[in-house]
Amino acid sequence: MREYTMMRWLFIFARMAMGGIFLLAGVPKMLNPHGFSEMVYNYLILPDPLVNIVALGLPALEVVCGVALVLGVFTRGASLIVAVLMVSFMVAIAYTRIIGLDIACGCFSVSPEDAAAGGSAWTLVRDATILLLSFVVLVGAFSKGQDPHKL
Amino acid sequence: MHTGTLFQIVVIGALSVALAVCVNVFRPDPLPWVEDWTGKRLAAYDPGTTLAPRDAIAAWERDTLFVDVRTPVQFADGHVPNAINVPYDPFDFGFEAAALAAIPRDVPVILYCDSISCTKSKEMAEFLAFSGYNNVLVMPDGLVGWQEADGPLTDGAEGQGGSAQ
């Protein structure tokens, strides 16, 4: 029986939490790609031909990474992708604040009622917290103590 | 990067593409993979009621009245010089009376909000047309398009609430 240290439990908790967060974020967007594509377009970051590709691909990536993190498979790859995604999301939200867009975030929901959350300082604080968590997951996944027999 | 990590990233990417394609193909209402978004947004406006930023700048140089329908906070951060701020907020009970009082009927007005992302100026134009205004134009590209076309900006809160011009 393997002896788990406090740190190891922390890493496992962070990994499962992060996986859960990405599943919560990915599934609603996957169920409503039409609504989500509107939100992707509203950020005015991507050229028109890429909007729907991202609106269809990003939720799938979030779901696959979420499942991987919850199950504890492919954790190195998933944690790296998740950290990069979090940084990209924060850059996108900060960009909307800089150019003065008042748009829905499209972070966890595709409902227009979420409009007030878009680009707000609260969204940035929330994402910074999740980003911090993703770094914990990253460190856990790449630390030597990670189950060597797991993928 | 560790080879195993790269392999994991490739597998996760491939699985995501497969999942995205499968879910979209089997949806009753699949999303087209490529769409002309800007064209689609512009098509939502009544033909003849919109102005490109470049034409809006020319109108501004001829002292046309601009109405900024964004929030007072956004207005204070920067707006078209001499514009008045009449926030579009259909959930505010006083909104209709305030808008009708602030926006003159006898001169042409140009409405704008953030960008092509935002529908407030379009909705305000529809409300004004319904209220009998027939001199209302919209700049769908909003303040983002205005700045991209090198239109001038002023900050500060003068013109707030449509009280000054």
Side-chain angles (χ1 to χ4, degrees):
Chain A
M1 178 94 183
R2 180 183 291 273
E3 257 190 36
Y4 282 93
T5 62
M6 273 271 280
M7 281 307 275
R8 185 168 301 230
W9 279 112
L10 173 75
F11 289 146
I12 291 174
F13 172 77
R15 172 169 63 72
M16 308 265 293
M18 200 66 206
I21 288 170
F22 265 67
L23 280 174
L24 274 179
V27 170
K29 290 184 251 182
M30 212 161 174
L31 294 176
N32 184 0
H34 293 272
F36 184 52
S37 60
E38 298 266 350
M39 292 177 172
V40 173
Y41 174 73
N42 284 346
Y43 273 83
L44 300 180
I45 290 175
L46 295 171
D48 285 15
L50 287 183
V51 169
N52 286 7
I53 292 171
V54 168
L56 290 165
L58 182 62
L61 184 62
E62 288 179 340
V63 167
V64 172
C65 286
V67 170
L69 290 177
V70 168
L71 297 181
V73 291
F74 282 17
T75 48
R76 290 185 175 183
S79 60
L80 207 59
I81 293 173
V82 158
V84 170
L85 284 179
M86 285 314 299
V87 172
S88 321
F89 295 158
M90 289 192 69
V91 169
I93 291 166
Y95 169 79
T96 65
R97 275 177 78 82
I98 290 166
I99 68 166
L101 297 183
D102 181 19
I103 59 171
C105 172
C107 300
F108 285 93
S109 134
V110 285
S111 82
E113 287 79 46
D114 199 23
S120 71
W122 151 242
T123 312
L124 280 174
V125 171
R126 182 190 64 195
D127 280 11
T129 312
I130 302 175
L131 179 66
L132 202 68
L133 188 66
S134 77
F135 284 141
V136 175
V137 177
L138 203 59
V139 171
F142 280 87
S143 64
K144 282 186 178 168
Q146 183 72 6
D147 307 69
H149 55 275
K150 272 198 168 172
L151 278 169
Chain B
M1 193 188 295
H2 194 269
T3 329
T5 311
L6 195 62
F7 170 73
Q8 292 184 5
I9 291 173
V10 171
V11 171
I12 289 173
L15 280 174
S16 305
V17 170
L19 180 65
V21 170
C22 285
V23 170
N24 199 42
V25 163
F26 291 109
R27 288 184 72 81
D29 56 343
L31 185 71
W33 288 88
V34 177
E35 238 177 322
D36 174 15
W37 271 93
T38 307
K40 195 167 102 173
R41 285 287 169 94
L42 287 174
Y45 289 86
D46 286 337
T49 62
T50 60
L51 271 180
R54 200 176 296 271
D55 300 326
I57 293 171
W60 176 80
E61 285 164 352
R62 295 194 302 272
D63 294 328
T64 308
L65 176 62
F66 277 68
V67 178
D68 186 319
V69 303
R70 300 172 306 150
T71 64
V73 174
Q74 288 183 299
F75 183 77
D77 275 347
H79 56 263
V80 172
N82 299 328
I84 59 171
N85 182 213
V86 185
Y88 178 76
D89 183 3
F91 299 109
D92 174 2
F93 284 120
F95 152 74
E96 295 193 356
L100 296 177
I103 303 172
R105 285 171 186 270
D106 48 352
V107 294
V109 294
I110 297 174
L111 310 180
Y112 71 88
C113 49
D114 306 336
S115 68
I116 190 87
S117 288
C118 121
T119 56
K120 284 180 176 177
S121 51
K122 176 177 176 284
E123 287 163 32
M124 179 73 109
E126 285 163 359
F127 162 68
L128 292 178
F130 180 75
S131 307
Y133 284 65
N134 49 21
N135 262 334
V136 176
L137 292 168
V138 181
M139 176 171 70
D141 294 289
L143 204 61
V144 169
W146 174 268
Q147 285 172 278
E148 281 171 2
D150 294 325
L153 270 199
T154 313
D155 53 16
E158 92 284 1
Q160 205 92 69
S163 57
Q165 188 192 335

